[in-house]
Amino acid sequence: MDIGALLTSAAINTGLSVLLFSLYSILRKQPSNTIVYFGRRLASLNNRNSRNHFSFERFVPSPSWIVKAWETTENEILAIGGLDAVVFQRILVFSIRVFSIAAVTCLFLVLPVNYYGQEMKHKHIHAESLNVFTIANVKEGSRWLWAHCLALYIISCSACVLLYFEYKSITKMRLAHITTSPPNPSHFTILVRSIPYSVGESYSNSVKKFFTNYYASSYLSHQIVYRCGLVQKLMVDAEKICMRIKAAPKGQSSLKPCCLCGGSTSFKVLTDEPESVKDSFSYSNLNLATRDNERSAAFVIFKTRYAAVVATQMLQSPNPMSWVTELAPEPHDVLWSNLCIPFRQLWLRKIATLLASIVFMVLFLAPVTFVQGLTQLEKLSQTFPFLRGFLKQDLINHVLTGYLPSVILILFLYTVPPTMMLFSSVEGPVSHSGRKRSACLKILYFTIWNVFFVNHVSGGFLFAFNMLSSVGDIPVELAKAIPNQASFFVTYVLTSGWASLSCEVMQPFSLLCNFLKKHLLRNHEDSSDGLVSFPYHTEVPRVLLFGLIGFTYSVMAPLILPFLLIYFLLAYLVYRNQIVNVYITKYEGGGQLWPFVHNTTIFSLVLTQMISLGVFGIKKSPVASGFTIPLIICTLLFNEYCRQRFTPIFKKNVAQVLLEMDRRDEQSGRMEEIHQQLHSAYCQLPLTSHEFCESVHKLCQDNIRGREGTKSGKEPSEVSEPCAVCNFGKEGSIGE
């Protein structure tokens, strides 16, 4: 591909980006799109009402959203999106810093060496081949290869220094987040799975006997997990409907005509007093706790944070497969459906999902091979001779080589996130954040393999199997292929980077759904039910993949760096705007994504150094090759130091910090209040009240006593799919 094709791709993507950004600045001003672009601020009535009047300003593009995103501070991001949002912003800040250093170094030091690497007659810039600006243009044995080695040292050292300070800063922020945040029920609670079955005894009684026997001084209560079924889903949906009806104005009926059927639905609001709702519903009519529906899992609550951590650090029985303990996730983060999975199935599920992921990666080689065929018009014309005349046209040539391949690859890549999220769900994680982290790793491995490794050689299936059979030859193969694939990855950054940010800020799917709801279904009410949290599992792998491409090509093809730097600057503004205005925070992951970021960055650096070592060997430069080997060793030693110094804080809670928090709460007299809140923290039915949990708890106690021979005076009603409840096995009432 020549510079003309590159400029064609850049012009197309720049035009699309400017158009979509301008369209976004207009659409966000329209009152009907408030739910799409200001979902997190939906409760702010002033924000919506101020735009109900007609004004010419509403239809004029403006950069005001860019200014507001730039002025948002890190503390505001922390308060709005939590520590995970700050970590994601730090990824972008780190990328901007390190690739700014790389751009200055390589554009002024490496690029001239590449351009004048061989004695040749240069054409006009727009007609030059992109290979002229890569290391492939440097002749063998050139003494100027020291410039590439020096640039590699500068980039690697800068990246390691920035990584160290970022890791240190985020570690302090994680500890501060734990100590300064309100009391978190997950710090007092452990999840117990694979509870042994006892004949004639319920799981709830087994848990109570075990922990009162071995943890008598620290055990507070427990909450058994019940089977998730149809009744639970129906009750959650009914709760949401009731909340919508209560939000309607008093004395009015809600009439919503539908243009599809021509009818209307009318709800009459009787009263909004909670007591009337409680009186009209008898909890005693539900038999929610039956032994047949108990699962072998429970949330066990301790009196102190330290006691909960200690309970997870040791085996509870001689059989490691029973009484398995781990720290519980936050109540809003619990993935209740996976708690019912038997613990003994988890290792089989992990193996099955691993095999399924590998099969999916292999099948994905077909579209990658097709895309690579489009980038090599010579082979394409040989395979299809009737296309030779068509492919000789300059415009067709530029579009096919500079724009179409990356677009096709991106369309195929849209199938990856939902597939990997499905695989992660089948694995059986107990939290939503854990499922997202698992999907994030799968997507990251998938994109690095299929987008980076497989795309570098057009052999497709044959190349993939050859690489798997001879791993030691990977650096040499990549050293031969990378300079030739620079054009594809430059256009990939333009298409997948710039255009994807434009689509992210536009939110086309949400915009379409909102248009259909308001203009087709005639529902003009804005509801926050459809709002989603930030998609870390898709955006983090995307950013890390661009980081890998940037490190690899910074020395080999420096022309990619300006386009990559523009992407990171746009991403910094776009994602900051989305965190502030669009996405809601449903649960907090505690910044646990940063170790993934650190490890991937180290992998990118080491891979870049090994590829450079292979290129220096091909170019017959023993001096540059000799100086590269110590750099690889030092990078690996730096990674080991960070792994020993910082990583454990992200995997385990610090006993010193937890003990200080327990003492502070005891001295201030807040511990009793915290204990009262813990009893109803892990209610399996979301959106339910404390009174509901208390009522069901009393009913379940009566049912259990009835099975043991005690007359409770209540006949259990038959429910085929009982819901799970909370507050089992408490030592006494809350007032005691």
Side-chain angles (χ1 to χ4, degrees):
M1 183 175 73
D2 56 24
I3 298 297
L6 175 62
L7 294 178
T8 301
S9 177
I12 293 174
N13 287 282
T14 302
L16 286 176
S17 300
V18 172
L19 175 63
L20 292 177
F21 281 136
S22 301
L23 187 60
Y24 163 72
S25 66
I26 296 175
L27 292 175
R28 70 192 298 269
K29 300 177 184 179
Q30 311 309 313
S32 60
N33 296 329
T34 303
I35 186 62
V36 178
Y37 299 119
F38 296 95
R40 201 194 62 80
R41 299 185 175 184
L42 186 63
S44 177
L45 297 179
N46 294 332
N47 191 23
R48 290 186 293 168
N49 293 340
S50 62
R51 292 185 177 139
N52 285 337
H53 62 280
F54 176 84
S55 64
F56 181 72
E57 183 185 358
R58 281 172 43 190
F59 302 94
V60 177
S62 63
S64 60
W65 68 275
I66 299 178
V67 177
K68 292 179 181 178
W70 179 266
E71 293 176 348
T72 304
T73 64
E74 189 174 88
N75 291 333
E76 293 174 344
I77 295 292
L78 181 62
I80 294 172
L83 187 57
D84 289 335
V86 175
V87 168
F88 185 75
Q89 286 291 303
R90 286 296 185 94
I91 300 173
L92 297 172
V93 171
F94 165 78
S95 302
I96 292 172
R97 289 173 178 173
V98 70
F99 287 113
S100 296
I101 297 173
V104 173
T105 303
C106 294
L107 291 179
F108 290 98
L109 179 63
V110 176
L111 188 62
V113 174
N114 291 342
Y115 188 70
Y116 296 104
Q118 293 187 8
E119 296 179 1
M120 57 181 296
K121 184 177 180 181
H122 290 283
K123 307 175 184 178
H124 295 289
I125 294 295
H126 68 276
E128 289 279 13
S129 172
L130 195 59
N131 288 337
V132 176
F133 298 92
T134 67
I135 198 173
N137 195 50
V138 180
K139 62 183 179 180
E140 295 182 0
S142 174
R143 60 186 180 89
W144 288 103
L145 286 172
W146 66 265
H148 300 78
C149 185
L150 178 61
L152 185 63
Y153 262 86
I154 294 174
I155 295 171
S156 300
C157 293
S158 302
C160 289
V161 171
L162 292 173
L163 269 179
Y164 173 79
F165 285 108
E166 288 294 342
Y167 217 151
K168 184 178 180 180
S169 176
I170 293 173
T171 301
K172 291 181 179 179
M173 294 178 65
R174 175 174 168 80
L175 294 175
H177 169 74
I178 295 174
T179 56
T180 59
S181 60
N184 192 338
S186 63
H187 295 163
F188 294 85
T189 310
I190 68 172
L191 174 63
V192 183
R193 308 181 76 177
S194 190
I195 302 171
Y197 176 78
S198 299
V199 179
E201 188 175 37
S202 64
Y203 283 118
S204 180
N205 288 337
S206 298
V207 172
K208 183 175 181 179
K209 287 182 179 180
F210 182 87
F211 284 95
T212 52
N213 185 21
Y214 298 106
Y215 296 90
S217 60
S218 57
Y219 168 72
L220 180 64
S221 66
H222 74 274
Q223 297 167 4
I224 204 72
V225 176
Y226 274 68
R227 179 172 54 182
C228 304
L230 180 61
V231 173
Q232 180 181 359
K233 297 178 181 179
L234 291 176
M235 292 188 67
V236 172
D237 293 339
E239 186 84 17
K240 292 181 180 180
I241 294 174
C242 291
M243 292 176 65
R244 287 192 179 185
I245 295 175
K246 284 182 64 176
K250 291 184 180 180
Q252 297 182 8
S253 61
S254 177
L255 298 176
K256 298 178 182 179
C258 177
C259 64
L260 294 178
C261 57
S264 63
T265 304
S266 177
F267 293 101
K268 184 178 181 181
V269 180
L270 299 176
T271 177
D272 60 351
E273 295 297 329
E275 287 75 11
S276 63
V277 179
K278 296 175 191 174
D279 295 339
S280 63
F281 181 80
S282 176
Y283 297 118
S284 60
N285 291 332
L286 291 176
N287 181 19
L288 300 179
T290 61
R291 183 179 173 186
D292 294 336
N293 292 286
E294 286 183 342
R295 302 293 93 183
S296 60
F299 289 99
V300 179
I301 304 171
F302 290 84
K303 296 179 181 179
T304 61
R305 301 173 178 87
Y306 180 74
V309 171
V310 170
T312 61
Q313 299 301 316
M314 59 183 65
L315 293 176
Q316 305 301 324
S317 71
N319 182 7
M321 296 294 289
S322 64
W323 296 105
V324 181
T325 58
E326 61 179 298
L327 284 175
E330 293 184 1
H332 294 290
D333 194 18
V334 177
L335 191 58
W336 293 100
S337 58
N338 283 351
L339 293 181
C340 299
I341 299 175
F343 181 78
R344 300 176 188 274
Q345 291 184 7
L346 294 182
W347 69 277
L348 291 174
R349 287 172 173 263
K350 291 181 179 180
I351 294 176
T353 54
L354 176 62
L355 295 177
S357 301
I358 294 175
V359 170
F360 184 62
M361 291 173 64
V362 172
L363 293 178
F364 202 83
L365 291 174
V368 174
T369 305
F370 172 73
V371 167
Q372 281 302 313
L374 293 178
T375 62
Q376 302 179 6
L377 294 184
E378 296 82 4
K379 293 183 179 180
L380 192 64
S381 60
Q382 292 177 3
T383 306
F384 304 100
F386 59 90
L387 294 177
R388 290 178 181 176
F390 180 73
L391 296 176
K392 289 182 180 180
Q393 301 180 23
D394 291 340
L395 180 60
I396 301 300
N397 188 310
H398 290 172
V399 172
L400 284 179
T401 59
Y403 185 73
L404 191 60
S406 56
V407 172
I408 295 176
L409 182 60
I410 291 169
L411 293 178
F412 279 108
L413 286 175
Y414 276 118
T415 63
V416 176
T419 304
M420 294 304 179
M421 183 62 79
L422 176 62
F423 291 161
S424 299
S425 300
V426 174
E427 269 186 348
V430 297
S431 64
H432 295 279
S433 60
R435 180 177 61 176
K436 274 195 173 184
R437 286 194 298 271
S438 177
C440 178
L441 282 178
K442 289 181 177 62
I443 296 173
L444 178 63
Y445 296 151
F446 182 92
T447 52
I448 288 178
W449 170 253
N450 278 287
V451 177
F452 183 80
F453 284 103
V454 178
N455 264 291
H456 274 105
V457 175
S458 59
F461 291 96
L462 182 60
F463 164 70
F465 289 116
N466 288 337
M467 289 185 69
L468 290 175
S469 60
S470 56
V471 180
D473 296 336
I474 291 178
V476 178
E477 294 295 329
L478 291 177
K480 297 177 181 178
I482 277 181
N484 298 325
Q485 290 296 327
S487 58
F488 171 78
F489 281 98
V490 172
T491 57
Y492 183 81
V493 170
L494 292 172
T495 306
S496 179
W498 295 13
S500 66
L501 290 176
S502 304
C503 293
E504 168 64 30
V505 77
M506 278 288 295
Q507 295 288 303
F509 180 75
S510 299
L511 191 65
L512 177 62
C513 293
N514 182 63
F515 177 83
L516 295 177
K517 184 185 76 171
K518 293 188 175 181
H519 297 279
L520 190 63
L521 302 179
R522 304 293 179 86
N523 183 1
H524 296 282
E525 294 183 2
D526 290 333
S527 174
S528 59
D529 292 341
L531 299 181
V532 297
S533 58
F534 193 90
Y536 294 106
H537 63 293
T538 60
E539 304 311 309
V540 171
R542 188 196 305 273
V543 174
L544 294 179
L545 175 65
F546 285 134
L548 173 62
I549 295 173
F551 282 119
T552 305
Y553 281 94
S554 57
V555 177
M556 304 298 160
L559 274 182
I560 199 174
L561 292 174
F563 303 105
L564 200 62
L565 196 56
I566 293 174
Y567 163 76
F568 285 120
L569 288 170
L570 287 176
Y572 176 79
L573 296 173
V574 167
Y575 289 123
R576 179 166 286 216
N577 175 78
Q578 301 300 88
I579 291 171
V580 172
N581 295 320
V582 178
Y583 297 112
I584 62 175
T585 304
K586 296 182 178 180
Y587 41 81
E588 177 61 62
Q592 293 185 352
L593 287 172
W594 182 257
F596 301 157
V597 176
H598 175 86
N599 294 335
T600 305
T601 305
I602 293 295
F603 169 78
S604 303
L605 285 174
V606 173
L607 181 64
T608 301
Q609 294 159 4
M610 294 178 66
I611 292 173
S612 300
L613 180 64
V615 172
F616 294 151
I618 293 175
K619 295 295 182 180
K620 299 180 180 179
S621 177
V623 176
S625 301
F627 275 98
T628 305
I629 295 176
L631 185 61
I632 298 175
I633 297 174
C634 292
T635 305
L636 294 175
L637 291 176
F638 166 76
N639 178 59
E640 182 63 21
Y641 170 78
C642 291
R643 191 180 69 85
Q644 298 288 341
R645 172 63 180 85
F646 300 115
T647 305
I649 299 178
F650 289 82
K651 294 182 177 180
K652 299 179 181 179
N653 288 331
V654 183
Q656 179 182 353
V657 173
L658 297 181
L659 283 171
E660 291 177 356
M661 294 173 66
D662 290 334
R663 291 170 182 171
R664 186 170 62 247
D665 290 335
E666 289 175 356
Q667 293 173 1
S668 62
R670 297 179 55 198
M671 193 60 79
E672 186 65 26
E673 178 185 354
I674 294 174
H675 289 171
Q676 294 179 5
Q677 297 173 356
L678 290 175
H679 285 306
S680 58
Y682 286 90
C683 191
Q684 191 164 350
L685 274 177
L687 304 176
T688 51
S689 64
H690 176 73
E691 291 82 359
F692 175 80
C693 297
E694 286 295 322
S695 300
V696 175
H697 165 64
K698 294 178 182 179
L699 172 64
C700 297
Q701 291 294 340
D702 292 337
N703 289 336
I704 294 173
R705 293 192 192 100
R707 295 188 196 95
E708 294 174 352
T710 303
K711 294 182 178 180
S712 61
K714 292 184 176 70
E715 293 294 334
S717 60
E718 295 180 358
V719 179
S720 59
E721 289 286 340
C723 302
V725 297
C726 66
N727 293 334
F728 287 95
K730 292 197 297 183
E731 293 180 327
S733 63
I734 293 177
E736 294 179 355

